[in-house]
Amino acid sequence: MDRSLQLADSLGSLPWISPRELKTLNAAGLASVGDVLMRMPRRYEDRRRGGDVASVQNGDTVCLQVHVYSAGWRFSYKRYFELSVGAEDEPHGVRLLLRWFNMPYVAKLLAVGMDLFVYGRVREYGGRLIMVNPDFEQMEEEDTGSRLVAAAMGDAAPPAAAVQEQRQPIHTGRIVPIYRGLSGMPPRTYRGIVWRLLQELPRQLPPAGYDVAPKYPYREALNDIHFPAEDELQHKARMRFALQECFAQQFRVAWRRRRAQQEGGMVTATDGAYVHELLAALPFELTAAQKRCIEEVRADMASPRRMNRLLQGDVGSGKTLVALCAMLYCIGSGYTAALIAPTQILAEQHYRNFCRLLAHTDIRVSLRTSDRADDTGSLQLDNPAEADRTPRLLVGTHALLYKKNRPQNLGLAVVDEQHKFGVEQRERFISSAGTAPDVLVMTATPIPRTLTLTLYGDLDVSVIDEMPAGRGEIVTALRNPAHMKRIITFMESELQAGRQIYIVSPLVEESEKRAHAAATSELERWRAIFPNESIGLLHGRIQGDEKEAVMADFRDNKTHILVATTVVEVGVDVPNATIMLINDADSFGLSQLHQLRGRIGRGSHKSYCILLSKLKKGDERLDKLNVLCRTNNGFEIAEEDFRLRGPGDVLGTAQSGLGAVQFPEWLADLRLIHRATRDANAILDADPALTRPEHAPLRELVQNEDDTAVTG
């Protein structure tokens, strides 16, 4: 048999793949041998469980060795093909009927006298034991091997892939891989193609990419993950491929980190006068965690090395004040500082807060968004004299990415709620001024430790792990619609005390596809419940000026109840709001619920978050809501979210820069991440420029990183 097949070979070059099969594979994005073999099974079925056909019982799922005694078409309520089978040594002991519905090709492949392996579930109908649509393979003498049959599923004759000679069963009598379905191709046809590709690969197959486990050959691991002889082998193979995927990610991280360290930075913290002036004017004392983080940031900015730092802190922990101090160090040293936020609401909140906090200084703050800018890209200021001064602190949204709004003489780039940005957007903002500014990225979404090492291993990390004094307690409770009367009564008491309320819904408008509460219909409902209260509506489709007017009314307590979507997740700071009712809370992720809850408890009043869900008691989906009721600690919530949802779903990979993750289990494996990081650093220590021949795959890997940096 030809053993020259390689992973890069086109599927179209293989004569035994039919045009129909090739079209289906290509439509699924599978163009090469490697594409097919790196499409991993989603699960496995253990079809080794055999038994004596004479002892099979109703309800058994078994793989049996049988002899065919009769075959023919039958008809009851619909036409089907039927075999009568039993043990070969009991010619008059027919024990089982095999029936195939909607599979006419089966009649061309099976006949009296054949010996088969069959796999399926046995059911009793009319006193007879029957398998419906079982998987099967024909048995042949060992010297000729066993023939793969029935792979044509709908073709008049089986293609070449279906009639190859093999010595092992593929679909029965073994641990069988189950793949995600391909439209237009039966599962066993795809399985047969994978099997034959594996048979035609050379025994000495170089791995795709850098070989992270030379003691476990790549070719052997491919076979073990698709057709494992034992269950533990597929686990072993998955760990090998997980390590390879983890290593590739951690090598890119290590490369970025070293490249950043080699870049000439700017000393952007030579003068702390503005910082001292700001802190002296504050009516409160910073927390120890804030002071520690400010000093970590200052030390980075005072060095000639470019700062790349992640500032991580829970909702309301005071990250923005730490970032403002960093920007003041930068401005005091003669540079411009800029902060980019993911939403206009958040950008405008930062702008207002910075203007208020810096009113006693000569620093001009400029807001640059697509909706609130003049021809120069700056917000029109009330004082004409201000317009004569060059802005030294810029706050904006994605508008800062565009040429007319790009900061000049940029010394510090701050990215707020960075997980809302794509990696390329972040790089574009950072490199937009043509300099190498210090970089501070902030997130109020606590990240599990393993993901921090994976997503932000190229950054130094500062963590604000305590909350400012004087914040009100937040009580979180899980309720169902039956409690609504009591909830309304409680709302009335808070409104009478002068407090305000958020009501959050997952949808803007009602949808036939999703049976969730919609903000527009909720607005009418709550106006009927509280006819004497001022109730506003806020969602993402509202235009900038109208959105700002709605928020201004709520901040000024002209609006008492704000009905909204998750647009209030970030950038809304109303200390007087003490109740948040979240409709269909089970439809949100844990981290998003925690972010939403962070909109209350921002003043000194006790606050209440009500999670409303229609799910019945005992439903496992309520587990995440009970987590929120137990704790307000965002880091605990992040770890629990990681455990409940799995590592592959906690962060969107497109935004995080991870790309497609095939083996998400490594994202939760601290041991594997440390090993990959250690190996990556060892290679870069020994060969910083990756000039050795064996490191050619790594040069190709990081070439994409360098290309992204150039084009960003």
Side-chain angles (χ1 to χ4, degrees):
M1 183 176 287
D2 182 9
R3 295 282 177 181
S4 64
L5 193 65
Q6 297 297 320
L7 295 174
D9 289 349
S10 168
L11 296 174
S13 67
L14 304 177
W16 50 266
I17 293 182
S18 71
R20 177 180 174 180
E21 291 168 343
L22 182 63
K23 183 178 180 180
T24 299
L25 293 167
N26 289 167
L30 306 175
S32 70
V33 173
D35 290 340
V36 172
L37 294 182
M38 289 310 296
R39 185 175 183 263
M40 300 302 174
R42 64 183 178 90
R43 63 182 179 87
Y44 301 84
E45 282 185 358
D46 190 345
R47 299 184 179 181
R48 295 172 297 178
R49 182 187 171 195
D52 186 350
V53 67
S55 61
V56 70
Q57 296 181 17
N58 180 35
D60 287 349
T61 300
V62 290
C63 183
L64 300 172
Q65 182 177 327
V66 299
H67 183 78
V68 180
Y69 289 101
S70 68
W73 287 99
R74 306 284 185 268
F75 185 86
S76 57
Y77 63 96
K78 61 167 54 176
R79 193 166 180 253
Y80 59 89
F81 185 71
E82 181 179 271
L83 299 183
S84 298
V85 301
E88 188 174 13
D89 57 356
E90 297 182 20
H92 301 292
V94 173
R95 301 288 181 177
L96 191 63
L97 297 178
L98 310 180
R99 292 177 178 173
W100 286 270
F101 293 86
N102 302 316
M103 298 182 183
Y105 64 90
V106 173
K108 302 173 184 178
L109 298 169
L110 301 179
V112 173
M114 283 184 173
D115 293 313
L116 303 175
F117 286 114
V118 295
Y119 174 82
R121 188 167 190 180
V122 178
R123 295 288 194 182
E124 184 174 351
Y125 296 98
R128 304 298 301 272
L129 294 178
I130 300 171
M131 273 189 185
V132 176
N133 294 346
D135 223 334
F136 64 95
E137 284 179 286
Q138 183 179 351
M139 297 161 49
E140 293 191 4
E141 296 297 327
E142 188 173 340
D143 61 342
T144 62
S146 63
R147 185 177 297 271
L148 175 66
V149 296
M153 283 293 192
D155 290 329
V163 294
Q164 53 191 293
E165 300 289 346
Q166 304 299 341
R167 292 186 178 274
Q168 300 179 53
I170 300 174
H171 312 291
T172 58
R174 65 174 307 125
I175 297 174
V176 175
I178 307 298
Y179 301 91
R180 288 180 176 82
L182 288 184
S183 178
M185 180 175 288
R188 60 184 291 131
T189 303
Y190 184 82
R191 191 183 302 125
I193 290 172
V194 174
W195 175 273
R196 182 159 182 178
L197 290 176
L198 287 170
Q199 305 316 303
E200 295 191 8
L201 286 176
R203 297 192 183 279
Q204 301 299 321
L205 179 72
Y210 184 74
D211 194 353
V212 297
K215 293 183 179 179
Y216 186 10
Y218 186 76
R219 171 69 177 79
E220 182 181 344
L222 274 176
N223 203 72
D224 287 345
I225 203 165
H226 286 288
F227 292 95
E230 301 292 339
D231 191 54
E232 57 267 21
L233 288 179
Q234 63 97 353
H235 291 294
K236 178 184 176 184
R238 281 196 70 87
M239 288 303 294
R240 191 235 187 269
F241 287 111
L243 175 60
Q244 181 174 330
E245 190 172 67
C246 179
F247 174 81
Q249 170 65 16
Q250 294 308 96
F251 193 87
R252 286 191 291 262
V253 166
W255 178 266
R256 287 199 302 266
R257 187 180 186 93
R258 292 185 182 225
R259 186 181 61 177
Q261 290 172 343
Q262 292 167 359
E263 288 181 352
M266 300 179 288
V267 177
T268 55
T270 58
D271 188 340
Y274 282 127
V275 175
H276 298 312
E277 190 177 353
L278 170 67
L279 298 182
L282 292 177
F284 54 83
E285 181 78 8
L286 297 185
T287 65
Q290 285 176 304
K291 292 176 181 177
R292 182 186 70 246
C293 291
I294 289 172
E295 178 53 31
E296 290 170 352
V297 170
R298 188 208 62 78
D300 275 0
M301 295 175 65
S303 76
R305 181 178 66 86
R306 181 183 180 185
M307 178 176 74
N308 279 281
R309 185 168 287 275
L310 169 68
L311 179 60
Q312 197 175 353
D314 212 340
V315 178
S317 60
K319 295 179 301 301
T320 304
L321 192 54
V322 173
L324 178 57
C325 288
M327 289 189 283
L328 292 180
Y329 278 123
C330 173
I331 293 168
S333 301
Y335 297 98
T336 299
L339 181 149
I340 186 170
T343 67
Q344 182 168 323
I345 289 178
L346 183 54
E348 290 176 352
Q349 177 182 299
H350 284 316
Y351 171 74
R352 285 191 301 272
N353 287 340
F354 292 162
C355 287
R356 175 176 54 82
L357 290 169
L358 302 178
H360 60 285
T361 72
D362 61 351
I363 297 173
R364 178 187 170 196
V365 183
S366 177
L367 176 66
R368 301 190 177 183
T369 72
S370 58
D371 290 340
R372 297 293 303 275
D374 61 15
D375 292 338
T376 66
S378 299
L379 184 71
Q380 293 281 7
L381 300 171
D382 294 333
N383 184 357
E386 292 289 301
D388 294 333
R389 291 191 288 116
T390 301
R392 301 166 71 187
L393 197 162
L394 305 179
V395 180
T397 58
H398 298 77
L400 283 174
L401 299 173
Y402 300 103
K403 188 173 181 180
K404 71 175 184 178
N405 291 324
R406 288 181 181 178
Q408 301 301 312
N409 194 30
L410 184 64
L412 174 65
V414 180
V415 182
D416 195 13
E417 294 297 337
Q418 66 77 37
H419 62 285
K420 300 285 187 180
F421 293 96
V423 172
E424 290 186 7
Q425 286 181 316
R426 188 178 73 193
E427 289 300 318
R428 181 179 171 188
F429 168 56
I430 291 167
S431 61
S432 62
T435 59
D438 287 332
V439 177
L440 182 66
V441 297
M442 301 194 297
T443 178
T445 302
I447 304 167
R449 186 183 176 196
T450 53
L451 287 186
T452 300
L453 290 171
T454 301
L455 302 178
Y456 309 114
D458 57 328
L459 306 177
D460 296 308
V461 180
S462 292
V463 179
I464 304 179
D465 51 9
E466 62 180 311
M467 299 295 287
R471 287 295 179 99
E473 176 189 1
I474 301 178
V475 176
T476 303
L478 175 59
R479 296 289 184 263
N480 62 52
H483 297 110
M484 187 54 69
K485 187 174 181 179
R486 291 164 54 192
I487 292 171
I488 293 171
T489 300
F490 180 66
M491 287 179 167
E492 287 176 341
S493 65
E494 285 293 293
L495 290 168
Q496 288 172 6
R499 307 283 85 84
Q500 293 166 271
I501 297 171
Y502 293 100
I503 295 172
V504 179
S505 297
L507 303 179
V508 175
E509 296 177 343
E510 292 182 349
S511 167
E512 293 182 1
K513 296 181 180 179
R514 297 179 63 191
H516 292 316
T520 50
S521 55
E522 284 291 289
L523 175 68
E524 299 308 316
R525 177 189 176 201
W526 289 99
R527 279 178 172 169
I529 294 172
F530 293 113
N532 298 322
E533 303 291 345
S534 174
I535 302 178
L537 176 66
L538 186 67
H539 55 72
R541 298 179 191 172
I542 294 177
Q543 296 302 309
D545 289 341
E546 184 182 352
K547 189 182 296 181
E548 172 55 25
V550 172
M551 281 310 308
D553 285 347
F554 194 57
R555 279 194 304 271
D556 297 339
N557 204 3
K558 295 177 182 177
T559 296
H560 307 133
I561 300 174
L562 183 63
V563 177
T565 60
T566 55
V567 70
V568 297
E569 180 183 347
V570 294
V572 180
D573 187 4
V574 181
N576 191 50
T578 58
I579 292 181
M580 175 172 283
L581 173 68
I582 304 178
N583 287 306
D584 297 309
D586 50 273
S587 67
F588 298 96
L590 255 181
S591 294
Q592 188 172 38
L593 288 170
H594 182 59
Q595 284 280 330
L596 287 167
R597 179 172 61 179
R599 298 309 101 201
I600 57 175
R602 304 185 78 83
S604 58
H605 310 292
K606 189 173 182 178
S607 296
Y608 307 87
C609 180
I610 303 169
L611 306 174
L612 200 62
S613 173
K614 301 178 183 131
L615 296 180
K616 303 295 183 182
K617 188 175 181 180
D619 193 309
E620 291 183 357
R621 289 173 292 176
L622 294 177
D623 289 349
K624 67 179 180 182
L625 302 183
N626 286 317
V627 171
L628 287 168
C629 296
R630 289 198 306 268
T631 180
N632 290 322
N633 186 305
F635 294 96
E636 290 181 22
I637 291 168
E639 294 291 346
E640 188 67 13
D641 194 24
F642 199 48
R643 184 188 70 80
L644 289 173
R645 287 201 291 156
D649 297 325
V650 170
L651 288 179
T653 55
Q655 291 294 83
S656 69
L658 272 177
V661 178
Q662 277 195 293
F663 302 92
E665 57 263 41
W666 68 263
L667 291 169
D669 193 331
L670 195 59
R671 178 185 57 83
L672 209 64
I673 292 172
H674 279 314
R675 175 181 170 180
T677 303
R678 180 199 65 204
D679 292 349
N681 284 318
I683 290 172
L684 290 172
D685 287 341
D687 185 16
L690 301 177
T691 57
R692 295 179 184 175
E694 65 268 27
H695 294 155
L698 296 177
R699 288 199 301 274
E700 184 177 347
L701 180 70
V702 297
Q703 180 65 42
N704 295 330
E705 293 290 318
D706 293 336
D707 290 345
T708 298
V710 170
T711 59

